[in-house]
């Protein structure tokens, strides 16, 4: 069996790939339901909806921003005039990071930085071994959190940085790219290095008196990779779905994959989110629904790890049936991925836990709403693929400060969102035995054996109840003061063809993306209903708009953007927006949008300003600050994406010269020592 080498080694991520060719069916049913609902709306609302559905261009965008009918209740005077105090950065296509006048940006902790014993130094040119990589920062830094250490002022200069390593740039990881003979990976240490470059880093860091940050070679430092032992908890633990040759009991697995965005629990653990895990597997036999609905290939696995069949560690990426039962092969290995994984950064010996109650999909992030004593804890999650859904998880147990632990994540209700045309929305429970859920299953002829079956097949469950397919839901965040939840919808090339335009996803072939927001009924995060609107439609001035107190205003040269991905809201209420235009879009739009950037927004006034523009071929992600707001950390992921190894690299950031580009943290400070963004 010979696979074409190119198919193993896509230069970018696989997020743009549609994974559900059948999605048009449930969506059309949903649309029909909306049409009948429209008929009962009164007067102008009918005309507005009809106009919207029939029109295109700026007028339609403006209308979509002025609707839905029930706008969120907003404090018109709540915005502060001076929330943003910097001068916007212009777009550029240079191989450097630019920040506003009065700010400094310093690269820190690039891929390959030694962080664990024996601290193997980074070797330029892809010369590190697999064993080296297991003790070094991984590739493709993504979601990130700063857990302060100590007391008082120390918490602003000392802490644990947890960061995801989403995937790898395989051409640049090895001296001359991967070795492939007749479609087979033949050098096991190359694959060991690739596996080790995935996962999560936990790194103790400290700021010196000169303002620079250093890695502390302390006891907390840890690499979790695509091979680290993990355990299951929640309804799927011990079920037939996750029994494998490695874990016949279905209680454990190896590794976490394609770790994208993140979350933090109220009890200070880190949640890493498994996103495009499906593409690492191959199943050459009949693809069951729990593989097929997630896009697992029947011909090839990403990076070709599964071709190293003589090594069990890598053979598991081939999910084809080979044994007499599931405990003799890895037919269930894909079911061990696609979860929210809890990591305790303060316990370097803690086994990462796959919290299965939060569902299985292309998890982008897992953002906790502010925890309230005596109330359930609520987590918001996006499933980043075209026409996938937005979810929330509500714990069964109420939050008890100091007493609540990760077990709280094992029992609760997983909901999926339906956005109605009139600006209302509903959370639909995905609960086996729930009367509404069972009625939907019966109506669609879908059968789930139990809750483990529902969770392993979360996307199918969401299809079944009539959730709203969205334009690639990425990060979610909750405004600490208003309680509004924001979610990026990065883009969707299939909107208007595979899925129909609706008011929550108002543009056909949505190239530029938008940010939707909602407010829960009664301002209770565990509510079953919500009201939503669109905060901003990305794009150039003639095809964009941001909602402010005085209506809708187009974006301009100082803030136009495309493909919003990461989000973070700081303590002052600044919404930080991180961009991820893919390689094709960046090449196509370079003249207008430049390199991927970081913007700051005041969600109350609609003031948006471009704060930082990164080097070539990267995306901005991982934005997080110290408690005092005076240090901002971001990640620059995959600089030079789309270029092969030397001598044709498009980026040499951060080292410059002829160095290979490396994903890296960037530390941003204000030169006068002030709060970043002021
Ligand atoms: Fe990994 Fe959807 O970004
Ligand atoms: Ca990415
Ligand atoms: Ca992302
Ligand atoms: Ca993205």
């Amino acid at each position: 069996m010979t696979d074409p080498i190119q198919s193993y080694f896509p230069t970018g991520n696989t997020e743009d790939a549609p994974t559900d060719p059948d999605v048009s069916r449930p969506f059309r049913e949903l649309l029909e339901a909306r049409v009948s609902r429209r008929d009962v709306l009164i007067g102008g609302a009918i005309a507005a909806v009809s106009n919207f559905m029939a029109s295109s261009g700026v007028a339609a965008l403006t209308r979509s921003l002025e609707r839905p009918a029930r706008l969120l209740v907003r404090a018109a005077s709540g915005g502060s005039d001076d929330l943003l105090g910097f001068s916007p950065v212009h777009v550029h296509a240079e191989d450097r990071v630019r920040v506003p006048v009065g700010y400094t940006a310093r690269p820190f902790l690039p891929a390959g930085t030694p962080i664990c014993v024996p601290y193997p130094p980074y070797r330029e040119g892809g010369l590190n071994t697999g064993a080296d990589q297991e003790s070094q920062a991984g590739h493709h830094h993504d979601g990130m959190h700063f857990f302060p250490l100590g007391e008082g002022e120390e918490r602003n200069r000392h802490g644990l940085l947890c960061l995801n390593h989403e995937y790898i740039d395989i051409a640049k990881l090895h001296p001359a790219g991967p070795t492939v003979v007749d479609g087979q990976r033949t050098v096991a240490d190359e694959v060991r290095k690739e596996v080790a470059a995935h996962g999560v880093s936990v790194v103790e860091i400290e700021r010196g008196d000169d303002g620079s940050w250093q890695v502390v070679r302390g006891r907390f430092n840890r690499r979790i990779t695509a091979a680290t032992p993990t355990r299951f908890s929640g309804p799927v633990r011990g079920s037939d779905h996750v029994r494998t040759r490695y874990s016949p009991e279905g209680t454990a697995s190896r590794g976490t994959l394609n770790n994208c965005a993140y979350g933090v629990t109220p009890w200070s653990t880190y949640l890493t989110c498994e996103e495009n895990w499906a593409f690492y597997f191959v199943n050459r036999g009949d693809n069951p629904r729990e593989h097929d609905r997630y896009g697992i290939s029947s011909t090839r696995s990403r990076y070709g790890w599964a071709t190293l069949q003589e090594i069990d560690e890598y053979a598991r990426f081939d999910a084809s049936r080979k044994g007499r039962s599931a405990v003799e092969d890895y037919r269930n290995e894909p079911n061990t991925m696609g979860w929210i994984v809890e990591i305790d950064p303060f316990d370097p010996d803690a086994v990462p836990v796959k919290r299965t109650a939060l569902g299985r999909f292309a998890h982008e992030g897992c953002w906790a709403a502010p925890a309230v004593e005596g109330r359930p804890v609520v987590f918001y999650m996006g499933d980043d693929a075209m026409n996938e859904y937005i979810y929330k998880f509500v714990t069964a147990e109420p939050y008890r400060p100091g007493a609540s632990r990760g077990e709280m994540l094992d029992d609760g209700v997983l909901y999926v969102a339906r956005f109605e045309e009139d600006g209302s929305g509903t959370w639909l429970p995905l609960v086996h035995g729930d009367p509404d859920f069972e009625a939907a299953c019966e109506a669609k002829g879908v059968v789930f054996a139990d809750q483990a079956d529902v969770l392993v097949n979360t996307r199918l469950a969401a299809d079944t109840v009539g959730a709203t397919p969205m334009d690639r839901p990425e990060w979610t965040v909750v405004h600490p003061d208003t309680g509004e939840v924001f979610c990026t919808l990065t883009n969707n090339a299939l909107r208007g063809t595979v899925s129909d335009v609706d008011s929550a996803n108002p543009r056909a072939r949505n190239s530029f993306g938008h940010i939707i927001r909602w407010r829960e009924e009664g301002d209770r995060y565990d509510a079953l209903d919500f009201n939503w609107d669109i905060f901003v439609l990305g794009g150039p001035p003639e095809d964009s708009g941001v909602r402010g107190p005085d209506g809708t205003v187009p974006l301009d040269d100082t803030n136009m953007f495309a493909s919003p991905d990461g989000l973070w809201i700081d303590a002052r209420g600044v919404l930080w927006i991180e961009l991820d235009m893919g390689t094709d879009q960046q090449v196509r739009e370079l003249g207008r949008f430049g390199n991927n950037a970081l913007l700051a927004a005041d969600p109350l006034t609609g003031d948006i300003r471009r704060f930082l523009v990164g080097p070539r071929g990267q995306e901005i992600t991982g934005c997080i600050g110290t408690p005092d707001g005076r240090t901002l950390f971001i990640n620059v992921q995959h600089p030079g994406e789309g270029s092969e190894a030397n001598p044709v690299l498009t980026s040499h950031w951060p080292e410059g010269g002829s160095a290979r580009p490396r994903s890296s943290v960037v530390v941003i400070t204000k030169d006068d020592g002030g709060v970043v963004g002021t």
Side-chain angles (χ1 to χ4, degrees):
M1 173 67 220
T2 303
D3 285 322
I5 292 174
Q6 307 91 292
S7 66
Y8 286 157
F9 312 125
T11 53
N13 206 350
T14 31
E15 295 169 327
D16 292 344
T19 54
D20 179 24
D22 295 330
V23 76
S24 56
R25 181 182 49 79
F27 185 76
R28 286 193 179 283
E29 291 168 10
L30 175 60
L31 187 67
E32 285 160 18
R34 283 184 184 153
V35 169
S36 59
R37 180 178 176 131
R38 278 203 325 248
D39 292 340
V40 303
L41 296 176
I42 53 169
I46 293 176
V49 171
S50 303
N51 285 345
F52 169 71
M53 299 301 282
S55 59
S56 60
V58 178
L61 298 179
T62 304
R63 267 194 294 278
S64 76
L65 282 163
E66 288 170 353
R67 296 181 50 257
R70 285 197 286 147
L71 300 182
L72 300 175
V73 179
R74 301 181 57 74
S77 60
S80 162
D81 288 341
D82 55 2
L83 192 65
L84 306 180
F86 61 89
S87 297
V89 174
H90 296 297
V91 298
H92 75 71
E94 302 161 9
D95 195 28
R96 57 181 290 183
V97 172
R98 280 189 183 272
V99 287
V101 172
Y103 285 83
T104 298
R106 299 180 182 87
F108 175 57
L109 204 67
T113 300
I115 58 173
C116 299
V117 175
Y119 305 106
Y122 173 74
R123 298 179 67 193
E124 174 62 25
L127 294 176
N128 283 110
T129 64
D132 291 345
Q133 183 63 70
E134 288 164 358
S135 298
Q136 297 172 325
H139 258 214
H140 284 34
H141 303 19
D142 207 327
M144 176 164 67
H145 190 71
F146 178 79
F147 291 90
L149 289 170
E151 302 289 336
E153 175 54 23
E154 185 185 358
R155 295 169 63 79
N156 297 309
R157 57 176 179 78
H158 188 198
L160 301 181
L161 204 60
C162 286
L163 64 155
N164 292 340
H165 302 291
E166 190 182 29
Y167 61 111
I168 57 175
D169 186 337
I170 198 167
K172 303 183 187 87
L173 189 60
H174 306 300
T179 306
V180 180
V181 178
D182 290 339
Q184 308 288 312
R185 300 301 303 271
T186 55
V187 181
D189 196 63
E190 287 180 358
V191 175
R192 179 179 177 182
K193 188 170 164 184
E194 293 159 26
V195 167
H198 285 72
V200 177
S201 290
V202 181
V203 194
E204 185 177 350
I205 60 172
E206 195 166 31
R207 193 184 71 204
D209 291 338
D210 66 351
S212 68
W213 288 76
Q214 306 294 332
V215 170
V216 177
R217 294 188 169 184
R219 65 184 182 88
F220 294 113
N221 291 7
R222 181 178 191 191
R223 276 306 319 283
I224 291 160
T225 75
T228 300
T230 65
R231 68 177 174 88
F232 285 104
S233 71
V236 177
R237 177 183 171 89
S239 74
D240 287 346
H241 302 281
V242 287
R243 295 187 205 281
T244 63
R245 193 159 81 197
Y246 176 76
S247 178
E249 305 81 20
T251 55
S253 71
R254 281 169 287 187
T256 182
L257 269 180
N258 212 271
N259 305 82
C260 188
Y262 77 107
V264 178
T265 65
W267 46 94
S268 289
T269 56
Y270 184 74
L271 302 174
T272 188
C273 308
E274 298 177 338
E275 190 191 16
N276 289 307
W277 49 272
F279 307 106
Y280 292 73
F281 294 95
V282 63
N283 183 348
R284 299 182 199 281
D286 288 337
N287 242 332
R289 65 184 187 181
E290 64 271 23
H291 295 186
D292 192 49
R293 180 64 178 79
Y294 295 88
I296 288 173
S297 171
S298 59
T299 57
R300 61 185 68 91
S301 65
R302 191 180 203 192
Y303 309 130
W305 294 346
T307 65
L308 273 172
Q309 278 295 302
E310 65 278 17
I311 300 175
D312 186 75
E313 168 58 45
Y314 312 128
R316 67 188 166 116
F317 292 99
D318 185 342
S320 310
R321 289 180 180 230
K322 294 172 178 171
R324 288 168 299 177
S325 73
V327 301
E328 294 184 359
D329 59 27
Y330 287 106
R331 69 187 66 176
N332 285 334
E333 189 72 4
N335 302 342
T336 71
M337 296 289 178
W339 305 106
I340 297 295
V341 187
E342 185 179 24
I343 293 168
D344 184 351
F346 299 97
D347 179 0
D349 299 321
V351 175
V353 187
K354 302 213 169 186
R355 299 288 182 191
T356 62
L358 283 79
R360 175 173 173 261
F361 42 90
H363 275 291
E364 179 77 22
C366 188
W367 195 261
V372 178
E373 184 169 4
R375 303 291 312 158
V377 183
V378 178
F379 295 85
Y380 294 98
M381 303 177 282
D383 180 355
D384 180 13
M386 285 184 266
N387 304 310
E388 293 299 342
Y389 308 118
I390 294 172
Y391 298 83
K392 79 173 177 182
F393 179 78
V394 178
T395 62
E397 290 289 317
Y399 176 58
R400 299 196 310 277
S404 291
R405 292 289 180 268
E407 288 66 35
M408 217 181 162
L409 300 176
D410 293 337
D411 189 11
V413 176
L414 180 65
Y415 296 91
V416 67
R418 182 162 65 200
F419 292 79
E420 306 289 0
E421 289 294 311
D422 67 353
S424 65
T426 313
W427 292 106
L428 306 166
L430 306 178
V431 177
H432 189 261
D434 174 89
D436 291 339
F437 183 73
E438 294 301 329
C441 291
E442 191 172 339
K444 298 281 172 60
V446 177
V447 176
F448 295 105
D450 51 25
Q451 187 62 14
D453 202 14
V454 170
L455 293 167
V456 168
N457 294 284
T458 300
R459 282 182 172 175
L460 176 62
D463 296 339
T464 303
V465 298
T468 303
M470 307 298 286
D471 287 351
R472 294 185 53 201
E474 299 239 35
W475 295 40
T476 47
V477 288
V478 181
H479 193 290
D481 299 327
T482 68
E484 286 177 343
V485 188
F486 293 77
C487 180
T488 41
L489 298 165
T490 196
N491 53 51
N492 185 353
L494 299 180
R495 180 66 62 183
T497 52
V498 169
S499 58
D500 290 283
V501 169
D502 62 14
S503 59
N505 303 276
R507 276 194 294 214
R509 298 189 59 78
N510 183 10
S511 299
F512 305 119
H514 55 293
I515 299 176
I516 200 166
R517 64 184 166 190
W518 62 87
R519 193 159 181 163
E520 303 282 10
E521 193 70 42
D523 286 332
R524 290 169 64 125
Y525 296 113
D526 57 340
L528 298 180
D529 300 295
F530 59 92
N531 292 311
W532 63 270
D533 74 354
I534 292 173
F535 169 54
V536 58
L537 282 162
E542 70 278 12
D543 190 6
S544 64
V546 57
R547 193 200 290 274
D550 303 321
T552 302
V553 178
L555 300 179
D556 59 30
D557 286 347
T558 68
N559 60 10
M560 57 187 255
F561 67 84
S563 297
D565 185 345
L567 288 176
W568 182 57
I569 296 186
D570 68 21
R572 296 191 308 127
V574 176
L575 178 68
W576 297 88
I577 303 168
E578 306 149 39
L579 303 187
D580 180 18
M581 292 179 283
T583 300
D584 289 351
Q585 188 175 28
Q586 281 207 68
V587 169
R588 203 171 56 241
E589 301 281 5
L590 206 57
R592 286 200 293 184
F593 291 97
N595 297 336
N596 276 314
L598 172 71
L599 300 104
D602 180 345
L604 298 181
T605 64
D607 182 10
I608 302 180
R609 301 182 196 179
R610 192 179 300 107
F611 178 79
L612 174 151
V613 180
R616 291 187 191 132
Q618 49 76 46
E619 70 171 86
I620 302 292
T621 180
C623 183
I624 189 73
T626 50
D628 64 1
R630 295 174 195 274
T631 301
L632 190 73
F633 303 100
I634 65 159
N635 277 324
V636 167
Q637 188 190 84
H638 60 64
E641 181 179 78
S643 59
E644 298 305 318
N646 282 325
V648 288
L649 297 171
T650 57
S651 171
H652 302 282
W653 188 87
E655 284 86 355
S658 61
R660 293 184 179 194
R662 291 196 275 167
S663 295
S664 179
V665 177
V666 176
V667 181
I668 299 153
T669 51
K670 199 173 180 189
D671 298 341
D672 66 3
V675 173
V676 177
T678 57

